[in-house]
Amino acid sequence: MSLSSNTHTLVDRFGRTVDYLRISITDRCDFRCIYCMSEEMTFLPRAQILTLEELAFIAKAFTELGVKKIRITGGEPLVRRGALSLLQEIGGMESLRELVITTNGSRLEEMAVSLKAAGVKRVNISLDTLDKEKFKEITRTGDLNKVLRGIEAAKKAGFERIKLNAVILKNRNHQEVGDLVQYAVDNKIDISFIEEMPLGVVDHERAEDYYSSASIKSDLADKFELIAISDNTGGPSVYYQVVGTSTRVGFISPHSANFCSTCNRVRLTVEGQLLLCLGNEHSVDLKRVIRANPGNLDKLKESIIQAMQIKPEKHEFNLQEQPIILRHMNATGG
Ligand code: SAM
Ligand code: SF4
């Protein structure tokens, strides 16, 4: 089959079809969330990161290989200059069904309307607390009110779906899970709770902060009736409907649930590394491929197809040990 045809699909050794790509378009961020970064971070020099053109070129190869959904993330994707034009370009790619974005919300107030116009269908917005002081503690540099105004702007812009992402840490924000769900219900949006993942060394002990999805679920049971629904994204999320509302609550539990057998996704870092698994180091250097073969889409596609052969069967995270994954989440593309 010609690699130029649009009928190729990406299948790994375990028979899993990869049709979802997450692209980190920057490792930089205007926040310094305690679970994601250490206070002092060194970011990549410009020469080391993919240009906007290179990012679009790789996205094109993936869509031609059957990828139907692309999530743009970071770092904070909306701090990259030119992010909007990149989104427009990817949003217009033939055969892509869904362009979605994950953001900390700091720039949504200004950008929500343009993002919708660029073809972004759904937005995930990180929000770990509704308490101004705690928000500052967790994000170190963020402004809660600005993010809340960003969420309002996203609602007005009319995305198909808005979902909040909350990383829950014991004794920092675990007491707030009920308030966060109530906020989602009041705003007719969805929310997912995420267990902290040991990616990179940060400034606290991961094991001490661990708060399980099971604990969150039992905390919520006092106030909300949740029924399991079958929304399956092929990822680590398990969804529930809040009875009597339009809100869905997701639990992303990398520690307590095994979702690897249905994994349908790969990640591209802004350095051009194709990561085959969030919890393993298996990767292929696509920047090297495109810089050695400028403009050669077939060569790039060949490398992507070959990369499927090293997608690991599953990940192992261990909170008690030093992280085996040295990259931070901002470099990984959460
Ligand atoms: N800056 C954007 C944001 O915060 O939404 C996009 C990138 S951020 C790395 C993507 C998601 O990863 C966020 O929802 C964030 O809360 C989550 N995240 C970051 N570090 C994490 C960690 N160590 N464990 C679990 N989730 C993490
Ligand atoms: Fe920035 Fe998102 Fe990481 Fe927070 S989680 S530091 S907002 S990249």
Side-chain angles (χ1 to χ4, degrees), residues 235-298:
S237 298
V238 179
Y239 285 100
Y240 293 77
Q241 189 79 39
V242 183
V243 173
T245 77
S246 58
T247 295
R248 278 165 286 205
V249 179
F251 295 93
I252 302 180
S253 323
H255 304 290
S256 43
N258 196 333
F259 48 87
C260 299
S261 65
T262 55
C263 181
N264 62 348
R265 62 202 59 192
V266 290
R267 294 172 165 81
L268 179 69
T269 72
V270 72
E271 269 189 295
Q273 291 291 328
L274 181 66
L275 304 178
L276 283 312
C277 171
L278 182 61
N280 279 289
E281 300 280 9
H282 301 63
S283 66
V284 171
D285 185 354
L286 294 184
K287 181 174 69 184
R288 195 188 49 74
V289 175
I290 55 175
R291 292 196 179 169
N293 307 274
N296 189 338
L297 196 60
D298 275 354

Side-chain angles (χ1 to χ4, degrees), residues 27-28 42-50 270-271 287:
D27 62 331
R28 288 165 195 260
T42 315
F43 296 106
L44 295 165
R46 186 172 289 268
Q48 232 161 294
I49 67 168
L50 297 174
V270 72
E271 269 189 295
K287 181 174 69 184

Side-chain angles (χ1 to χ4, degrees), residues 33-38 41 74 194-204 206 254-255 267 275 277-281 315-319 321-334:
C33 302
I34 53 172
Y35 44 74
C36 179
M37 296 191 181
S38 61
M41 288 288 288
I194 310 177
E195 289 178 354
E196 187 186 28
M197 288 175 248
L199 296 180
V201 177
V202 289
D203 305 327
H204 62 264
R206 305 262 194 198
H255 304 290
R267 294 172 165 81
L275 304 178
C277 171
L278 182 61
N280 279 289
E281 300 280 9
H315 70 248
E316 316 272 351
F317 284 135
N318 187 343
L319 288 175
E321 291 173 5
Q322 278 297 308
I324 47 164
I325 303 297
L326 296 176
R327 12 166 244 274
H328 286 89
M329 191 60 128
N330 69 307
T332 301

Side-chain angles (χ1 to χ4, degrees), residues 72-130:
I72 301 297
T73 178
E76 174 46 41
L78 300 183
V79 304
R80 175 135 190 201
R81 206 173 301 147
L84 213 50
S85 60
L86 176 66
L87 282 156
Q88 272 159 357
E89 180 159 4
I90 297 178
M93 283 177 188
E94 211 187 320
S95 81
L96 184 71
R97 273 197 218 128
E98 253 195 328
L99 175 63
V100 296
I101 184 168
T102 302
T103 172
N104 65 19
S106 68
R107 305 219 169 165
L108 270 182
E109 192 179 6
E110 304 89 70
M111 294 179 78
V113 170
S114 317
L115 288 173
K116 175 75 172 42
V120 173
K121 294 265 191 307
R122 295 192 286 118
V123 188
N124 286 359
I125 307 167
S126 297
L127 181 70
D128 302 326
T129 171
L130 293 163

